Amino acid sequence: MRILKGSIDVSKIDKSKLIVGKKGTYLNVSIIVRDDVDQYGNTGSITQDTTKEEREQGIKGTILGNIKDLPGKSPVAPTPYYSEELSNKIPPPVVNLADDLPF
């Protein structure tokens, strides 16, 4: 499990995309997690969702903010995505969780 922390710039939200429901007002977002870390320590970004029609027109969602791994809260280090072809050649990392068990 990974715990990610992020923030968004609410002034960038397209208010017409807000959905008013019975229990609150919602905004659909997409979270893109990269395999690398940028110069600010970000591992991904949060974008406002687009409709199918907008995606077909090549319109991308507005970047609202960034995310980072929460230090010390992720018990297993993130592992990069491997294609099926590579996964047969590269063994997965070995993680020994028994070292932190209290018994």
Side-chain angles (χ1 to χ4, degrees):
M1 171 175 67
R2 289 169 66 183
I3 299 174
L4 303 171
K5 180 178 180 178
S7 61
I8 62 169
D9 181 348
V10 295
S11 68
K12 292 183 178 181
I13 294 174
D14 177 353
K15 308 299 188 268
S16 69
K17 302 274 187 171
L18 294 173
I19 302 163
V20 179
K22 290 182 180 180
K23 296 184 178 182
T25 303
Y26 303 90
L27 176 70
N28 290 327
V29 298
S30 294
I31 299 173
I32 298 102
V33 180
R34 294 186 306 268
D35 291 332
D36 58 340
V37 179
D38 71 10
Q39 65 186 15
Y40 304 105
N42 298 314
T43 55
S45 58
I46 304 167
T47 63
Q48 187 165 298
D49 271 352
T50 55
T51 65
K52 180 180 179 182
E53 293 78 22
E54 289 171 329
R55 287 189 301 274
E56 288 173 351
Q57 294 173 19
I59 298 172
K60 295 183 179 182
T62 302
I63 296 175
L64 302 174
N66 296 300
I67 58 172
K68 296 180 180 186
D69 281 287
L70 195 57
K73 298 293 181 184
S74 298
V76 178
T79 57
Y81 172 79
Y82 293 107
S83 68
E84 189 174 325
E85 177 182 276
L86 288 177
S87 66
N88 294 330
K89 297 177 183 175
I90 303 172
V94 176
V95 178
N96 185 358
L97 297 176
D99 292 340
D100 294 332
L101 296 177
F103 50 87

